Amino acid sequence: MKCCKNDRENMMNTKAKNQSLIDDSIRVQPLPHAGDLKGVMIHYFLRGMLATKLPWKKTAWTCAGFPVELLWAYDVFPHHPENMATVAAARKQSLRLIEYTESLGYSRDLCSYCKTSIGAYDTGIKATLGGLDKPDFITCTNTICDTHWKWFHLQAHRLKVPIFVFDVPSVVSGTSPETMEGYVDYVVEQFILFGEFMQKNFGKKPNEKKLRKVMKLSERLSSLWREIYEYRKIIPSVYSAAETSASFFPLVVLPGVKKGIQFYEKLLSDIKKRAAKGEGTLQEGKEKYRVLYEGIPFWYRMRFMYDLAKYGIVVTYEPYTWSFAPKKTMGLSLEESLRETARTIMNLPYAYNLEDRIEYFEKAVQEYRIDGVILHENMSCRPSSSGMIDLKEAIQRDLGVPVLILQCDMNDPRAFSEAQIQTRVESFVELMADNKK
Ligand code: SF4
C-alpha cells in the first residue's frame, strides 16, 4: 500500500520528535568493581559442578521464595532452575528451548521460566548456556506462585527424584495476629517434616550451629544490599537497574556464602566514593527522570535499561531486586529462629495483598523521589502482574506520577515488540516531562 504525502510527513515528524527525546551521548557508567560479578558467577558454577560430581555431596533444585539458607545449613548445594533460565535467555537460547517444550504440548500461556528449564534439561545444553544437571532431590514452596509447585512436581516425576514441597499460606488483608501465629506454626511444622525427609532420604540431621552461621552471613549480604539501596535515594542516582539487574544475582543463589558478601562490600565502597564526589551513574547533568521499574527484567533484552538511559531515565528502584534482601532474623532457640524464617517467607513483597502493595509502592515513590513508574505486566507471571491496573490507578491518583504498563514477558522474546515498546516509552517520557514543567 502506498503512503500518501500526509502519512509520510507524519512519520517524519514523529521520527524527528523521537530523535529530540533521545540523547545518544548518554552512557551508563559502570561501577569500578561491577566486573567482579563474573568471578562470583564462576565460583557459583564451579562449586555447583563439583557438588554434582562428588558422590558424597548432595544437590537440590529449588525456587525463589525458598529459604535457601536451610539447604546450605544441610550442606546441600542449591541449584536454581529459574536463575539458569535467565542465563539461557541472556545467552539467546530461551526461544528455542521454549519452542521445544511447547512442541511437547505445553501451553504458550505457561510460565516461560518453566518451559525454558524443561527444554534446557531435556536438550542437555551446557551450564554456561543455562543447562542443569539432575539433582539428588527437589524442594520448593508456593510462597510466590503455584507454578513452582506444578513445575517442580512435574520435574521430580520425570527425573525420578524425591521432592519436598512447603505449603506457605498467603496473608490476606485483615489477617488477625492469632491467625498469623497459626500460619507460623503450620510452616514450622513443615520445617520439622523437612528434617525428617532429609534424615530418611540422605541420613542428614539439622545442624543448628551451621544454620546460625549461614543465617548470619545471609543477613550480612542482605544488609549490604539494603545499604546500597539507601544510597540510591541520592540525586543524582549512584546506581541503576542497568547494573542491579545482574548484580543482585548473589542474593538469589549465594545467601549464606562469603563470596557474595565480598563482592557487595566492594560495590558499596565504589558507591560511597561516587556519592562523596556528587557523581551519578549517568554523566553530569544527564539524569532527567528517576523511574521505579516493577517486574522481572527482559532477560533476552538486557539492553532495555541502557536504552532507557538515552532518554535521561535512571531506574532508581526495583521492588524485584529489593525483595531478595529481607531482614533475616534469628531467635535465641532453634524453634524461635524457624518461626522468624517462617514470618520472613510469608512477608515477601510478592506475597503482599493489594492494599499493602499499594502502600509499599507509594512509599518507595516518595522516598526515592520517583518521576515515573514502569510496570512490567508479565505474560508468564501472575504474581508479579495481578493488580497492576489498580496499582497504576492508585499511584496516578494519589501521587500524580505517570505509570506505564508494558505487556511483555521475561524470557520469551516473542512477546517483545520493539517498535511498540519504543513508542510507549516515548509517550511516557513526554508525560514525565510535562509533569516537571
Ligand atoms: S510464574 Fe512468576 S514467580 Fe512463578 S516461576 Fe514463573 S516467573 Fe517465577
Side-chain angles (χ1 to χ4, degrees):
M1 194 169 69
K2 280 187 182 170
C3 275
C4 71
K5 192 173 165 235
N6 280 351
D7 285 343
R8 270 200 306 273
E9 275 171 8
N10 282 343
M11 277 167 63
M12 283 164 72
N13 286 342
T14 309
K15 209 171 164 194
K17 191 180 80 181
N18 293 349
Q19 279 307 325
S20 71
L21 292 174
I22 294 175
D23 179 349
D24 277 322
S25 71
I26 302 181
R27 298 268 176 278
V28 174
Q29 309 182 98
L31 291 174
H33 285 97
D36 290 11
L37 178 64
K38 203 171 166 197
V40 180
M41 291 183 77
I42 291 171
H43 167 92
Y44 173 72
F45 284 129
L46 288 179
R47 224 171 138 167
M49 257 161 53
L50 204 63
T52 306
K53 301 243 175 303
L54 299 174
W56 60 90
K57 288 274 182 193
K58 298 294 167 219
T59 65
W61 283 4
T62 190
C63 69
F66 186 92
V68 188
E69 296 87 354
L70 262 192
L71 296 176
W72 289 113
Y74 271 106
D75 200 22
V76 170
F77 186 90
H79 285 291
H80 295 257
E82 285 155 292
N83 217 78
M84 297 314 285
T86 72
V87 173
R91 302 296 306 273
K92 313 289 180 219
Q93 303 296 312
S94 58
L95 180 57
R96 77 174 172 96
L97 300 174
I98 289 168
E99 285 179 340
Y100 161 84
T101 306
E102 287 176 358
S103 77
L104 302 180
Y106 294 93
S107 157
R108 169 109 192 227
D109 297 328
L110 192 63
C111 166
S112 57
Y113 276 169
C114 168
K115 286 183 290 183
T116 304
S117 183
I118 291 174
Y121 185 78
D122 282 15
T123 59
I125 62 166
K126 292 189 289 186
T128 48
L129 296 178
L132 279 160
D133 287 314
K134 182 176 172 177
D136 292 295
F137 69 101
I138 292 179
T139 183
C140 68
T141 80
N142 59 348
T143 310
I144 302 180
C145 71
D146 296 337
T147 305
H148 285 138
W149 266 41
K150 294 302 284 180
W151 165 13
F152 283 83
H153 259 297
L154 172 78
Q155 288 297 66
H157 178 71
R158 295 172 93 226
L159 275 59
K160 299 188 175 35
V161 294
I163 178 163
F164 189 96
V165 176
F166 283 88
D167 179 26
V168 178
S170 295
V171 182
V172 297
S173 183
T175 300
S176 68
E178 295 75 31
T179 306
M180 194 64 206
E181 280 310 289
Y183 287 170
V184 171
D185 291 342
Y186 178 57
V187 175
V188 170
E189 267 171 38
Q190 295 174 68
F191 286 138
I192 292 160
L193 292 173
F194 180 68
E196 290 171 13
F197 167 88
M198 292 302 290
Q199 172 85 51
K200 183 173 151 227
N201 286 284
F202 308 106
K204 282 182 178 280
K205 290 187 181 155
N207 181 337
E208 188 179 346
K209 204 168 148 204
K210 185 136 193 226
L211 181 64
R212 283 192 179 277
K213 191 174 158 206
V214 167
M215 288 298 285
K216 203 170 158 204
L217 292 173
S218 180
E219 169 51 17
R220 172 74 185 139
L221 187 76
S222 280
S223 68
L224 283 164
W225 193 250
R226 296 196 299 268
E227 198 175 344
I228 288 173
Y229 257 81
E230 281 302 306
Y231 278 89
R232 298 182 75 186
K233 289 178 180 167
I234 297 171
I235 297 178
S237 187
V238 286
Y239 201 36
S240 78
E243 293 196 79
T244 58
S245 301
S247 64
F248 88 114
F249 170 83
L251 284 170
V252 185
V253 296
L254 291 172
V257 178
K258 282 189 187 142
K259 196 77 185 164
I261 294 175
Q262 291 154 358
F263 174 52
Y264 283 178
E265 282 171 345
K266 287 183 193 164
L267 289 187
L268 184 58
S269 151
D270 289 345
I271 285 170
K272 284 181 178 171
K273 284 182 197 150
R274 187 173 267 183
K277 286 192 256 172
E279 291 174 355
T281 185
L282 306 183
Q283 302 103 307
E284 195 180 346
K286 296 293 185 185
E287 178 177 314
K288 289 191 196 152
Y289 312 107
R290 296 164 65 83
V291 162
L292 180 153
Y293 177 94
E294 159 60 345
I296 308 177
F298 317 125
W299 298 115
Y300 45 84
R301 186 66 168 64
M302 294 292 280
R303 229 181 55 233
F304 177 73
M305 298 293 178
Y306 293 86
D307 290 347
L308 290 181
K310 303 276 179 205
Y311 297 96
I313 292 177
V314 180
V315 175
T316 319
Y317 189 94
E318 316 89 40
Y320 179 61
T321 64
W322 170 259
S323 71
F324 283 92
K327 188 156 178 50
K328 316 258 171 95
T329 313
M330 287 293 283
L332 290 175
S333 65
L334 177 61
E335 204 210 320
E336 203 33 60
S337 301
L338 294 178
R339 296 186 79 77
E340 290 295 347
T341 305
R343 285 189 189 99
T344 305
I345 59 178
M346 281 191 283
N347 193 33
L348 295 178
Y350 286 102
Y352 283 175
N353 58 56
L354 185 62
E355 233 168 62
D356 290 345
R357 205 158 177 230
I358 290 173
E359 193 185 324
Y360 162 63
F361 270 72
E362 293 193 342
K363 189 166 173 259
V365 167
Q366 287 165 317
E367 282 185 1
Y368 287 77
R369 291 179 277 179
I370 296 294
D371 301 304
V373 173
I374 299 179
L375 304 177
H376 174 195
E377 190 179 358
N378 191 336
M379 262 174 45
S380 273
C381 187
R382 277 177 293 126
S384 70
S385 306
S386 52
M388 273 189 171
I389 304 278
D390 296 298
L391 193 54
K392 174 183 160 99
E393 282 171 2
I395 295 171
Q396 291 183 158
R397 179 193 63 231
D398 300 341
L399 306 176
V401 166
V403 179
L404 168 68
I405 296 185
L406 292 178
Q407 282 95 3
C408 212
D409 191 277
M410 77 273 174
N411 245 41
D412 187 343
R414 293 172 299 184
F416 191 93
S417 165
E418 189 84 39
Q420 200 186 67
I421 285 183
Q422 188 180 349
T423 309
R424 303 209 54 221
V425 166
E426 278 162 6
S427 309
F428 173 62
V429 171
E430 284 174 344
L431 283 175
M432 287 194 292
D434 282 349
N435 242 12
K436 281 188 162 249
K437 279 179 190 159

